[in-house]
C-alpha cells in the first residue's frame, strides 16, 4: 500500500478524523495536495491560456498557475498598449471636440484592461516579490525551467 506523504518534505502524514497532519512541517495538509511515497508537490500548469480567463473574478484569477498569470499579463499589456494608441488617434482625429460613441466605448474598454492589468500585477507581485517584465522569450524560458524541474524531480524519485 502506498503511504500518504507531505508534498513539501516527503514525511509520512498522520491522519486523524479525516485530517492529514505533517509532524515535521507542523501543519495540516489538504487531502487534494497529499502525495504518495515522498513525491513532490505537482505544479499545475497549462501550456496555453484562454484569454476568456481575464473575465474571471480576482478570487478565481488567484487560483491560476503562475504561468497562466504571466501569459495573461503579457496579453493584457499588449492589448492595453494597442487600446491607448487607438484612443489617442481618435482624440486627434476629432475636430469638433465631440467624443464619439466608439471613443467612449474604447475608453471604457481601456479602463477595464487597465484594472485587469493592476490585478495581474498585484498577483504576480505576491508570487515573485516584484512585477516581472514579461516577453515572449521570458514565457518560453519560464516554461522550460518548469519542464526541467519536473524532469529532475522525476529522476530523483526514480533513484
Amino acid at each position: 500500500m502506498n503511504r500518504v506523504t507531505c508534498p513539501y518534505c516527503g514525511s509520512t502524514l498522520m491522519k486523524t478524523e479525516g485530517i492529514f497532519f505533517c509532524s515535521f512541517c507542523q501543519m495540516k495538509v489538504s487531502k487534494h495536495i497529499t502525495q504518495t511515497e515522498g513525491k513532490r508537490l505537482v505544479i499545475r500548469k497549462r501550456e496555453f491560456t484562454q484569454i476568456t480567463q481575464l473575465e474571471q473574478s480576482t478570487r478565481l484569477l488567484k487560483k491560476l498557475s503562475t504561468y497562466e498569470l504571466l501569459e495573461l499579463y503579457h496579453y493584457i499589456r499588449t492589448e492595453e498598449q494597442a487600446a491607448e494608441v487607438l484612443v489617442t488617434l481618435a482624440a486627434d482625429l476629432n475636430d469638433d471636440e465631440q467624443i464619439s460613441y466608439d471613443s467612449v466605448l474604447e475608453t471604457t474598454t481601456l479602463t477595464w484592461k487597465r484594472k485587469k492589468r493592476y490585478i495581474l500585477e498585484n498577483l504576480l507581485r505576491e508570487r515573485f516579490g516584484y512585477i516581472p517584465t514579461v516577453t515572449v522569450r521570458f514565457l518560453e524560458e519560464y516554461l522550460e525551467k518548469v519542464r526541467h524541474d519536473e524532469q529532475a524531480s522525476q529522476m530523483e524519485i526514480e533513484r
Side-chain angles (χ1 to χ4, degrees), residues 6 17 36 39 44 63 86 128 155:
C6 176
E17 300 177 20
T36 57
K39 292 179 184 170
R44 186 179 72 82
K63 294 180 181 182
L86 288 175
F128 285 95
M155 288 173 52

Side-chain angles (χ1 to χ4, degrees), residues 6 28 36 42 63 69 72 79 85 96-97 100 104 120 124 132 140 145 150 158:
C6 176
K28 293 179 189 175
T36 57
V42 176
K63 294 180 181 182
L69 291 176
L72 288 173
E79 287 295 305
V85 168
D96 57 18
E97 306 219 2
S100 70
V104 171
L120 292 168
L124 291 170
E140 290 169 352
K145 288 176 185 176
E150 287 173 347
E158 291 173 358

Side-chain angles (χ1 to χ4, degrees), residues 20-48:
F20 290 98
F21 185 81
C22 177
S23 58
F24 185 83
C25 293
Q26 297 182 345
M27 66 180 207
K28 293 179 189 175
V29 178
S30 299
K31 181 181 179 180
H32 74 278
I33 65 167
T34 60
Q35 299 296 309
T36 57
E37 304 302 325
K39 292 179 184 170
R40 289 189 176 190
L41 185 64
V42 176
I43 303 300
R44 186 179 72 82
K45 67 172 179 18
R46 294 183 184 154
E47 298 210 11
F48 71 94

Side-chain angles (χ1 to χ4, degrees), residues 79-91:
E79 287 295 305
E80 184 185 12
Q81 289 168 350
E84 286 173 350
V85 168
L86 288 175
V87 168
T88 303
L89 286 175

